[in-house]
């Protein structure tokens, strides 16, 4: 990771380098302070945008802070840099589901489950997202095969 020295206190920048910010951010996240962790980890991500570990921790902090749009953006960046990262796929899918995009959620949760089928919370999230899609299709989908109106808003599962 790139080394970026903290400020002298005048600019409000934290002291230390990127690794120090990352470590303190992860500690804040683990101790139940996701908003504070996100602020510190965002600074680390700005200084070292290529760091997948920093971006993943930042995505977790945003998710735990309820900022699912920001979480999705960072989980997507990690997953795009390494499509085999099951946790990034899971985070992308879970964030999408919190934002109401269940088609995207199912796609990425299914990838996470395919990579780690033994991980129960991956499977549970996928089942829930698929159930939501089915429920929406039932509410807004086609009436039937023998004719009748169809609604273009259908969400096929």
């Amino acid at each position: 990771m790139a080394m970026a020295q903290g400020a002298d206190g005048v600019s409000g920048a934290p002291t230390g380098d990127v690794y120090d910010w990352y470590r303190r951010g992860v500690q804040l996240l683990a101790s139940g302070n996701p908003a504070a962790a996100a602020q510190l980890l965002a600074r680390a991500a700005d200084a070292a945008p290529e760091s997948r570990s920093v971006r993943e921790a930042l995505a977790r902090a945003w998710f735990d802070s309820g900022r699912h749009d920001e979480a999705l953006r960072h989980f997507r960046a990690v997953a795009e840099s390494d499509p085999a990262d099951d946790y990034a796929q899971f985070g992308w899918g879970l964030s999408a589901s919190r934002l109401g995009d269940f088609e995207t959620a199912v796609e990425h949760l299914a990838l996470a489950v395919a990579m780690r089928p033994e991980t129960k919370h991956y499977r549970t999230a996928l089942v829930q997202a698929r159930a939501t899609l089915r429920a929406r299709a039932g509410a807004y989908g086609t009436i039937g095969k023998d004719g009748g109106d169809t609604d273009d808003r259908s969400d096929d599962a």
Side-chain angles (χ1 to χ4, degrees):
M1 281 186 239
M3 301 297 275
Q5 290 303 313
D8 55 11
V10 175
S11 68
T15 59
D17 61 23
V18 173
Y19 184 69
D20 293 327
W21 303 340
Y22 168 75
R23 281 190 18 231
R24 290 195 327 250
V26 169
Q27 289 170 346
L28 285 166
L29 187 57
S31 67
N33 295 299
Q39 296 307 309
L40 198 52
L41 291 165
R43 184 172 295 275
D46 286 344
E50 74 289 349
S51 173
R52 288 185 17 235
S53 57
V54 169
R55 292 198 72 157
E56 181 183 290
L58 177 56
R60 289 179 16 234
W62 283 132
F63 188 90
D64 289 354
S65 297
R67 297 278 306 274
H68 301 116
D69 55 337
E70 290 294 325
L72 186 144
R73 186 167 66 91
H74 291 283
F75 278 126
R76 180 175 53 222
V78 173
E80 287 174 345
S81 72
D82 180 8
D85 185 328
D86 63 287
Y87 187 77
Q89 296 289 348
F90 170 70
W92 186 350
L94 201 58
S95 297
S97 73
R98 294 296 196 278
L99 293 169
D101 182 357
F102 291 96
E103 293 83 5
T104 298
V106 166
E107 177 184 347
H108 294 283
L109 292 169
L111 287 169
V113 168
M115 288 183 245
R116 295 277 174 120
E118 73 281 0
T119 306
K120 185 177 179 178
H121 59 276
Y122 288 10
R123 291 191 322 269
T124 300
L126 177 58
V127 166
Q128 291 171 344
R130 283 182 171 159
T132 299
L133 278 179
R134 280 193 303 276
R136 286 183 174 183
Y140 302 113
T142 60
I143 290 180
K145 287 184 179 181
D146 27 80
D149 293 335
T150 59
D151 191 332
D152 291 321
R153 296 177 293 168
S154 74
D155 293 329
D156 295 327

